[in-house]
Amino acid sequence: MQSEGLGNLRNKIIDFIKGEKRVGLVLGGGAARGIAHVGVLRVLFENGIPIHILVGTSSGALFGSLYAGGLSVDTMELASRRSGWNRLIRIALSRRGAVSGESMEKLVEESIGERQFSDLHIPFAAVASDLRTGERVVLREGNVARAVHASSAIPGVFSPVLIGGRHLSDGMVTDNVPVDVAAEMGANFIIAVDVIPKLVLDRDPDNMVEVVERALDVGVRIANLPILAKADIVIEPVVKNISPFGLNHADELIGMGVEAARKMMPEIKRKLKL
C-alpha cells in the first residue's frame, strides 16, 4: 500500500516535470440516471479527449467498466435503449435484499468478456461499501463483472455481494463520486460526472415514492459537493426529476449527457491545451 502511494507520487512528479496531463474520468452513481454517462462518453470520444484512468460508482462503475473494456459508445447507446429491469436483474428473495443482481455480472461478461482488471484497456476502479464496517472499498483486482455487481448493489433492493470476505453494497453509500480515487491512481486532471439531480428542480415531487427518492438525492448531492470541488471539471447532466429506476428515459438521459458535456468542452480543451 505504501509503495503504491510512492509510485503514484513519483508518476505525478514525472508528469509535472514533463507538463503532461493524465486524465481521470470519474463516473458517479445514480441507478438508471447513469445512462447519461453514455452521452458524456460520446462527446469526450468525439472530441478526442484522452482518458487515462476510469473510476466509477454504481451505474458509473457499469458504464466505466464497459468503456475501459473496449466497448464502443455506439454499442452502449444501443444496449441502454434496449435494456429493461428483466435484462439487468433476477428476482431472488433473500433475507438481505429482495433482488439478486447476478444478471448485472452476465451483462458485463457478455459485453466485454470475463475480464480481470488487469485485462482492461484503461486502468479502472469500482467503488463499493462494506456494510459491516461502513468503509469505502476500492476494487481494482479480480473479476471486473463481480466488482461492478458489488458497486451497484443498492441496499435493501439488491442482495450484498461477497468479495474477499466482505459483504459489499452500492458505493453510493460511502463515496458516490470518488474523485480522490482517480487522483490516487495517478490522474492529475480529473473530470467528474455527477448524475444526481441538481438541488433545485423544475417541479415538486408529486407522490410518496418521489418524495423518498428526492430526499435521498438531496442527501447524496450535498455530500458530493466538497468532493466535486476537488475535480478540475464537473459535468452535471441530470437537470430534472427522473426516477433512479427510470430505464424508459434512456434517450432523454443520453441527450442530457451529450448536452452537458458539450457545454463543458471549451473549458476542458482550454485546460488540457487541446
Side-chain angles (χ1 to χ4, degrees), residues 40-95:
V40 173
L41 286 166
R42 170 165 293 287
V43 174
L44 295 176
F45 176 78
E46 290 178 347
N47 283 271
I49 305 302
I51 300 173
H52 303 100
I53 290 163
L54 256 168
V55 181
T57 291
S58 196
S59 53
L62 170 62
F63 291 109
S65 71
L66 299 181
Y67 196 77
L71 202 68
S72 71
V73 177
D74 286 340
T75 302
M76 278 193 275
E77 278 197 17
L78 185 62
S80 297
R81 291 188 172 104
R82 290 181 175 176
S83 68
W85 285 114
N86 290 335
R87 179 74 178 86
L88 293 176
I89 61 178
R90 174 174 60 83
I91 300 299
L93 296 179
S94 76
R95 290 184 299 110

Side-chain angles (χ1 to χ4, degrees), residues 62-271:
L62 170 62
F63 291 109
S65 71
L66 299 181
Y67 196 77
L71 202 68
S72 71
V73 177
D74 286 340
T75 302
M76 278 193 275
E77 278 197 17
L78 185 62
S80 297
R81 291 188 172 104
R82 290 181 175 176
S83 68
W85 285 114
N86 290 335
R87 179 74 178 86
L88 293 176
I89 61 178
R90 174 174 60 83
I91 300 299
L93 296 179
S94 76
R95 290 184 299 110
R96 291 175 292 179
V99 176
S100 168
E102 290 176 3
S103 291
M104 178 74 75
E105 291 188 38
K106 292 181 180 178
L107 173 64
V108 175
E109 289 175 350
E110 290 171 4
S111 299
I112 62 172
E114 296 184 20
R115 301 284 191 92
Q116 302 292 302
F117 278 82
S118 57
D119 299 327
L120 298 175
H121 300 290
I122 302 171
F124 170 69
V127 171
S129 303
D130 186 321
L131 292 182
R132 184 178 67 83
T133 66
E135 294 176 306
R136 180 186 74 178
V137 178
V138 179
L139 300 169
R140 294 180 57 187
E141 297 179 347
N143 183 275
V144 174
R146 188 72 172 168
V148 170
H149 180 183
S151 180
S152 308
I154 302 170
V157 177
F158 296 94
S159 304
V161 180
L162 183 64
I163 296 179
R166 293 177 177 234
H167 286 94
L168 303 181
S169 274
D170 200 310
M172 181 184 291
V173 174
T174 51
D175 195 348
N176 197 48
V177 191
V179 169
D180 63 327
V181 174
E184 289 164 5
M185 291 173 65
N188 58 15
F189 185 89
I190 297 175
I191 301 171
V193 187
D194 184 6
V195 294
I196 299 297
K198 293 186 175 182
L199 289 176
V200 179
L201 297 179
D202 56 351
R203 66 174 179 82
D204 292 329
D206 61 7
N207 59 62
M208 185 170 64
V209 172
E210 285 193 358
V211 168
V212 173
E213 290 175 351
R214 180 58 179 159
L216 293 173
D217 284 345
V218 169
V220 173
R221 179 76 181 185
I222 291 174
N224 285 350
L225 293 177
I227 299 169
L228 291 170
K230 300 176 183 178
D232 297 278
I233 296 288
V234 178
I235 299 175
E236 301 170 304
V238 183
V239 294
K240 61 186 295 185
N241 193 16
I242 293 179
S243 169
F245 303 104
L247 286 167
N248 56 321
H249 291 277
D251 284 332
E252 187 176 8
L253 286 162
I254 291 170
M256 287 180 181
V258 168
E259 182 179 354
R262 284 178 177 166
K263 182 179 179 181
M264 298 303 297
M265 193 51 57
E267 185 176 355
I268 292 173
K269 288 185 174 181
R270 178 180 61 81
K271 289 186 173 181

